[in-house]
């Protein structure tokens, strides 16, 4: 059973993208344990629903949703359907291995669709919802590659650098309006959603 910490997230509503596994799932479970209602969003409802069900079984509050974060209208519909939003976690991201010579334009398009647009889509739809209730929190998942020049991570590092830049821009624009925007830079992590996105955007350089 979950042991909530009511002084932290009690009665808040959190949306977490790609929360069907890995880091996203861990965030969803922790937020729920601390009293938040969690919307578990993933590219596959088959990945999202078991996480939401496990949270409910443990005594938390969660709903599951399916959405391709790279699609504007689909993401807009997700935010429009939320009863409330206090915390937004933009967790979507796919990896790629390659130098500037081996990274093809098609690779960049795939990376951009998820790592950049997938995060961007949460911002113009999430910010108005947060402002409407006096503020809230946005947490974007960047990566160590957004700050360091890692070998064979040209395209990936570039898109995660965009996440860092978006975070700083939104933080500057909205901190005076009650919205805190921060980013996390985790190290490498491999989970089920990584495999799912790899299948959807398969090319020789994807690992």
């Amino acid at each position: 059973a979950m042991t909530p910490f009511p002084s932290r997230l009690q009665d808040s509503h959190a949306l977490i993208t790609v929360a069907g596994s890995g880091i996203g799932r861990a965030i969803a479970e922790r937020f729920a344990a601390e009293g938040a209602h969690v919307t578990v969003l993933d590219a596959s409802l088959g990945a999202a629903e078991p996480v939401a069900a496990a949270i409910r079984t443990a005594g938390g509050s969660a709903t599951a949703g399916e959405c391709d974060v790279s699609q504007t209208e689909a993401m807009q519909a997700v935010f429009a359907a939320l009863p409330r939003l206090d915390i937004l976690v933009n967790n979507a991201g796919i990896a790629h291995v390659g130098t500037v010579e081996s990274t093809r334009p098609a690779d960049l398009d795939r990376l951009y669709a998820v790592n950049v647009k997938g995060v961007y889509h949460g911002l113009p739809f999430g910010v108005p919802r947060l402002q409407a209730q006096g503020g809230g929190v946005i947490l974007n998942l960047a990566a160590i590659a957004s700050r360091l020049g890692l070998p064979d991570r040209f395209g990936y590092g570039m898109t995660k650098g965009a996440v860092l830049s978006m975070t700083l821009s939104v933080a500057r624009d909205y901190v005076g309006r009650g919205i805190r925007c921060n980013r996390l830079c985790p190290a490498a992590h491999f989970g089920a959603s990584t495999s799912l996105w790899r299948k959807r955007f398969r090319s020789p350089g994807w690992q």
Side-chain angles (χ1 to χ4, degrees):
M2 292 185 171
T3 304
F5 297 85
S7 62
R8 294 188 180 183
L9 302 180
Q10 188 68 31
D11 299 325
S12 63
H13 286 240
L15 170 66
I16 304 166
T17 65
V18 190
S21 65
I23 293 174
R25 176 170 186 159
I27 293 173
E29 291 174 341
R30 186 60 183 177
F31 279 14
E34 298 194 3
H37 172 81
V38 177
T39 297
V40 179
L41 196 66
D42 204 276
S44 165
L45 191 61
E49 181 53 46
V51 176
I55 288 173
R56 293 192 296 267
T57 299
S61 176
T63 55
E66 179 178 280
C67 184
D68 180 346
V69 297
S70 70
Q71 299 301 307
T72 305
E73 293 183 358
M75 283 288 280
Q76 185 174 21
V78 166
F79 281 87
L82 294 174
R84 178 183 175 93
L85 182 65
D86 300 285
I87 305 167
L88 167 62
V89 181
N90 284 311
N91 175 59
I94 52 177
H96 181 262
V97 176
T99 66
V100 68
E101 292 181 285
S102 62
T103 302
R104 305 174 307 171
D107 297 328
L108 291 181
D109 289 342
R110 297 183 186 103
L111 282 163
Y112 181 85
V114 178
N115 295 5
V116 180
K117 286 186 69 177
V119 173
Y120 159 75
H121 282 147
L123 300 173
F125 302 134
V127 165
R129 296 298 305 272
L130 295 173
Q131 286 193 103
Q133 47 196 61
V137 176
I138 299 171
L139 182 61
N140 298 324
L141 270 289
I144 290 176
S146 70
R147 298 177 56 87
L148 302 176
L150 300 182
D152 294 318
R153 293 295 186 276
F154 171 75
Y156 177 73
M158 182 172 62
T159 56
K160 286 300 185 176
V163 174
L164 175 59
S165 181
M166 283 189 284
T167 302
L168 294 173
S169 180
V170 171
R172 176 67 69 181
D173 288 339
Y174 293 95
V175 66
R177 308 182 203 183
I179 296 176
R180 291 184 289 113
C181 186
N182 291 289
R183 54 87 176 98
L184 289 178
C185 294
H189 176 82
F190 301 94
S193 288
T194 306
S195 299
L196 173 64
W197 282 112
R198 187 187 306 149
K199 291 176 182 177
R200 294 192 63 182
F201 296 106
R202 185 173 297 281
S203 73
W206 295 78
Q207 298 186 23

